[in-house]
Amino acid sequence: MFENNVTRRGFVTGAAAVAGLAGLSTIAPGLAGAAPTPTDQHTPAEIEAAEVGALAMMTFQKIDGTPVYYWRSSRGNTTARNWQATDAFYNALVAWIRDLRSLSSSYGSISYIVSAGFYVDKAGQHGAGTAMDLDHVRWSGGNVTSPLDQHHASGTAALRKRYLATEAVTRRRFRYVLDGWYNADHRDHIHADFGGMPVRVLKDSEADTKFVQGTCNNFRASGLTIDGIWGPKTQTAFNGLKSALGVTGDPHTSTAVWQGMLSKIATKGFANQNI
């Protein structure tokens, strides 16, 4: 299940690793009250320091066989880098990248991803080893999605849909997901962490609401102001989105319903289709 170059303390293997993947919807309950930290831009020096300090973390260079690179100091760099995260978070990353492979299979395999950081010796979810900043994804067929290049604001609709598709997949596995619409600090990456598990869409969440508003605008031309406020217009647009996708049940309270809805959004986005 895990690549051979992983080293760590307390390596999860066999049935324990499978159980970790199966239980992702209720993972890390102790972090439920933690809020995302907007200052999650990490320098090479901070990441190198993390390699020394992350004694309780596992170390990886790939996620389920897919290389993870760092471009903040050198664009296009393919030098292998040691990253750190907790066992549980790595297991969630494995589930995430398998979701991404499956839902974007028409693009070919995932050649590599680029991250701005996982564990970093800072306060918040990054300091707990339970966060990822996603900068870039490249597929073997040549397609890319690049939060680093602010694809959420691209003038090309297909790139905006692909960005939202990638974000939708990320939201399947992580509770707090902060995107380019959330604030200026996140215009060049997608942040994902365990805070507030399990996953569902909440009307009082600014991040969730902005994702819904961005999705309705880009897939259904809803014309919403992306302000993070779940008002009557957002509710009407969300109802229309849900109906058009054939979603039944309540994505506000059911993880399974919300994950299913996210998969349908991702499928449409990777196919560059309206909803």
Side-chain angles (χ1 to χ4, degrees):
M1 178 178 294
F2 301 101
E3 58 273 8
N4 292 330
N5 67 351
V6 170
T7 60
R8 71 196 205 177
R9 295 186 177 186
F11 193 174
V12 176
T13 57
V18 173
L21 288 172
L24 290 172
S25 65
T26 57
I27 220 159
L31 298 175
T37 303
T39 54
D40 53 4
Q41 300 296 303
H42 314 307
T43 67
E46 287 171 335
I47 292 177
E48 289 169 6
E51 294 181 13
V52 177
L55 297 180
M57 306 290 169
M58 63 167 288
T59 300
F60 61 96
Q61 295 180 346
K62 301 177 180 180
I63 299 173
D64 197 40
T66 298
V68 185
Y69 301 134
Y70 181 78
W71 284 2
R72 292 295 173 122
S73 56
S74 178
R75 178 80 182 225
N77 187 3
T78 57
T79 302
R81 177 181 287 275
N82 290 332
W83 303 98
Q84 283 76 32
T86 65
D87 295 341
F89 196 77
Y90 182 79
N91 287 345
L93 290 169
V94 170
W96 164 75
I97 206 162
R98 290 178 180 179
D99 286 350
L100 189 59
R101 288 174 185 150
S102 176
L103 290 164
S104 65
S105 60
S106 63
Y107 291 179
S109 60
I110 299 175
S111 300
Y112 59 83
I113 69 170
V114 179
S115 176
F118 296 87
Y119 167 77
V120 180
D121 189 14
K122 289 184 173 182
Q125 297 282 321
H126 281 289
T130 55
M132 168 183 69
D133 288 342
L134 180 66
D135 277 2
H136 191 93
V137 182
R138 181 178 177 87
W139 287 266
S140 61
N143 287 310
V144 302
T145 187
S146 186
L148 185 61
D149 295 316
Q150 302 182 42
H151 277 187
H152 73 287
S154 171
T156 303
L159 290 181
R160 298 195 305 273
K161 287 188 175 78
R162 192 179 303 156
Y163 178 104
L164 283 161
T166 303
E167 181 177 353
V169 176
T170 306
R171 286 178 172 275
R172 282 181 46 82
R173 297 296 177 180
F174 305 103
R175 173 65 198 100
Y176 271 118
V177 179
L178 309 179
D179 60 21
W181 288 285
Y182 182 70
N183 62 17
D185 288 326
H186 295 86
R187 64 187 181 276
D188 61 356
H189 67 283
I190 294 174
H191 168 96
D193 70 47
F194 269 164
M197 292 293 278
V199 296
R200 66 277 203 218
V201 59
L202 301 182
K203 295 180 182 181
D204 61 356
S205 165
E206 179 182 354
D208 292 1
T209 301
K210 286 184 172 179
F211 169 72
V212 167
Q213 291 168 336
T215 298
C216 290
N217 285 355
N218 283 281
F219 288 92
R220 293 177 58 79
S222 297
L224 299 171
T225 300
I226 302 180
D227 58 6
I229 299 171
W230 196 294
K233 292 182 179 179
T234 297
Q235 183 65 58
T236 298
F238 183 74
N239 291 344
L241 176 69
K242 181 182 170 186
S243 177
L245 290 171
V247 174
T248 58
D250 187 357
H252 301 298
T253 59
S254 170
T255 293
V257 172
W258 180 226
Q259 286 179 323
M261 187 170 177
L262 290 167
S263 293
K264 292 182 176 184
I265 292 169
T267 298
K268 291 289 189 180
F270 289 126
N272 190 25
Q273 295 174 350
N274 291 327
I275 298 173

